[in-house]
């Protein structure tokens, strides 16, 4: 039985559109008509492979085991000018945030000849071209659709080739070949806010307190093995928050959970960076060193992530009672220009102020993106004039 909660964010499959149906050669055969004219019908068009982004799917699990997906081919034409039925399109549902890369393409074509009409007496040649993964689509909105493999056009029946000088054409053309390619699907979660920090820093607990999401929470590292999304709503304000699995030093090179989950940070507008006060008290951890380690991994993975809006949070604030220790930490952070908030998700302390700052930051970033898009659209219109 499939585990419906299993999160899969990478998959590689082969897709094949449908080939066009062949046109046929046929002539009217009627009583008392010795030489009926041509009435061979056209072939039907092959089906397309269409990828559709939807919020109803949250993982690529179903595609992980689907080695090959094919659309229907068009049917051959018939006599009496009957056109073959077109093949059905094949739709592939993927989560919003999925990127589609072409890994290889199979090219099918007819060899050149001196025949007047393509495909007549020609041999179908097939060659597969391997290449570096090429991005062909980035599906970021619900309902967004993209045709990644087009069905072949139907061939023409001999009725199409009747002219005043060619009354009885005895040839038809085959349907266009199908398109085939191997694609790689990669999911990057679409979230406004990403919760980042070392394992067990309190990210999952925070998400459960501010949203209806219920990630696993426990007092040991790597409780969260997959990213979790939660919708946070207060009054008329709404945003999506992602709990990104705990990072460690070397994550950008694959250590721990590695860049398998780092990519889910890429689309977030705002980062909430949690530092674990309990680790400082119990283990003597240097939280400034923890902060630098996570920032280093983000920079190594994508330097532009260091420019992302960041809210620094000291978590598990209900556990610290040594004001001198806390004051020293604040001074060291202030020397770096950092002004953290202190919260306790377990005791629901400091959450209202944090959410207010989070919503303000998200809305500021949204306005900035809208402004950039508006300016880009205006420049595009100017170039057209």
């Amino acid at each position: 039985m499939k585990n419906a909660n299993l999160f899969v964010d990478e998959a590689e499959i082969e897709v094949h559109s449908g080939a066009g149906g062949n046109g046929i050669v046929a002539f009217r055969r009627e009583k008392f008509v010795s030489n009926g004219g041509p009435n061979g019908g056209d072939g039907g068009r092959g089906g397309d492979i269409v990828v559709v982004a939807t919020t109803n799917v949250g993982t690529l699990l179903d595609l992980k085991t689907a080695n090959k997906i094919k659309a229907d081919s068009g049917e051959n034409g018939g006599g009496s000018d009957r056109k073959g039925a077109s093949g059905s399109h094949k739709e592939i549902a993927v989560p919003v945030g999925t990127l589609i890369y072409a890994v290889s393409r199979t090219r099918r074509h007819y060899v050149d000849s001196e025949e007047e009409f393509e495909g007549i007496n020609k041999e179908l040649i097939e060659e597969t071209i391997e290449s570096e993964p090429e991005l062909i689509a980035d599906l970021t909105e619900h309902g967004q659709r993209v045709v990644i493999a087009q069905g072949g056009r139907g061939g023409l029946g001999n009725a199409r080739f009747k002219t005043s000088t060619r009354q009885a054409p005895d040839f038809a053309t085959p349907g266009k070949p199908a398109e085939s390619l191997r694609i790689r699907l990669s999911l990057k979660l679409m979230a406004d806010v990403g919760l980042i920090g070392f394992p067990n820093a309190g990210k999952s607990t925070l998400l459960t307190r501010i949203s209806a999401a219920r990630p696993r929470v426990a007092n040991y590292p790597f409780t969260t093995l997959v990213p979790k999304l939660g919708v946070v709503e207060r009054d008329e304000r709404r945003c999506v928050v992602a709990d990104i699995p705990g990072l460690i030093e070397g994550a950008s090179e694959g250590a721990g959970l590695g860049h398998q989950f780092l990519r889910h940070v890429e689309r977030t507008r705002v980062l909430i960076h949690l530092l674990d006060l309990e680790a400082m008290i119990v283990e003597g951890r240097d939280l400034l060193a923890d902060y630098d380690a996570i920032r280093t991994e983000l920079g190594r993975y994508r330097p532009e992530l260091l420019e992302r809006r960041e809210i620094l949070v000291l978590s598990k604030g209900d556990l610290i009672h040594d004001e001198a220790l806390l004051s020293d930490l604040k001074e060291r952070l202030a020397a770096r220009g950092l002004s953290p908030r202190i919260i306790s998700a377990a005791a629901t302390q400091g959450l209202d102020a944090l959410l207010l700052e989070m919503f303000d930051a998200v809305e500021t970033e949204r306005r900035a993106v809208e402004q950039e898009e508006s300016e880009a659209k205006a420049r595009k219109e100017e170039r057209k004039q």
Side-chain angles (χ1 to χ4, degrees), residues 213-226:
R214 290 295 174 265
R216 182 183 299 175
V217 177
N219 191 28
Y220 56 87
F222 296 119
T223 304
T224 303
L225 298 178
V226 300

Side-chain angles (χ1 to χ4, degrees), residues 204-220:
S204 297
T205 303
L206 176 58
L207 189 63
T208 62
R209 290 293 185 269
I210 63 177
S211 76
R214 290 295 174 265
R216 182 183 299 175
V217 177
N219 191 28
Y220 56 87

Side-chain angles (χ1 to χ4, degrees), residues 24-27 38 120 158 161 166-172:
I24 71 158
V25 175
F27 295 91
I120 301 174
N158 69 331
F161 302 110
R166 184 170 51 219
Q167 295 293 312
D170 58 355
F171 56 86

Side-chain angles (χ1 to χ4, degrees), residues 162-303:
K162 180 182 177 181
T163 66
S164 59
T165 58
R166 184 170 51 219
Q167 295 293 312
D170 58 355
F171 56 86
T173 60
K176 287 284 189 178
E179 289 185 359
S180 300
L181 63 158
R182 187 163 191 84
I183 60 172
R184 180 177 302 155
L185 303 167
S186 178
L187 172 61
K188 293 181 182 177
L189 295 180
M190 300 293 294
D192 298 297
V193 178
L195 304 180
I196 62 172
F198 266 71
N200 206 35
K203 299 183 296 297
S204 297
T205 303
L206 176 58
L207 189 63
T208 62
R209 290 293 185 269
I210 63 177
S211 76
R214 290 295 174 265
R216 182 183 299 175
V217 177
N219 191 28
Y220 56 87
F222 296 119
T223 304
T224 303
L225 298 178
V226 300
K228 296 289 185 181
L229 291 179
V231 177
V232 182
E233 295 180 296
R234 294 293 187 276
D235 300 324
E236 300 298 319
R237 310 174 94 180
R238 181 180 186 274
C239 69
V240 179
V241 178
D243 171 15
I244 308 298
L247 305 175
I248 63 174
E249 289 186 77
S252 60
E253 298 174 355
L257 297 176
H259 57 254
Q260 181 180 358
F261 297 121
L262 263 170
R263 67 174 174 273
H264 296 298
V265 180
E266 288 186 55
R267 296 190 191 273
T268 56
R269 304 172 192 272
V270 176
L271 299 177
I272 295 182
H273 192 156
L274 280 74
L275 298 179
D276 184 3
L277 287 174
E278 182 183 27
M280 180 181 72
I281 299 166
V282 177
E283 303 172 22
R285 283 249 296 274
D286 183 348
L287 298 192
L288 195 56
D290 284 0
Y291 175 80
D292 289 338
I294 295 297
R295 295 281 293 177
T296 296
E297 296 309 319
L298 292 177
R300 286 176 177 170
Y301 181 71
R302 289 284 188 276

Side-chain angles (χ1 to χ4, degrees), residues 86 101 109 130 229-230 236 318 365:
S86 294
Y101 296 89
H109 60 97
E130 301 285 346
L229 291 179
E236 300 298 319
D318 58 316
E365 294 303 315

Side-chain angles (χ1 to χ4, degrees), residues 321-362:
H321 306 289
D322 188 336
E323 290 298 327
L325 187 63
L326 182 59
S327 178
D328 177 67
L329 174 61
K330 286 183 175 179
E331 288 179 6
R332 295 176 61 208
L333 291 170
R336 298 275 296 276
L338 301 172
S339 179
R341 289 190 174 276
I342 301 177
I343 70 163
S344 170
T348 63
Q349 296 174 359
L351 299 188
D352 288 340
L354 173 61
L355 291 182
L356 180 61
E357 183 178 0
M358 180 188 77
F359 279 120
D360 287 345
V362 168

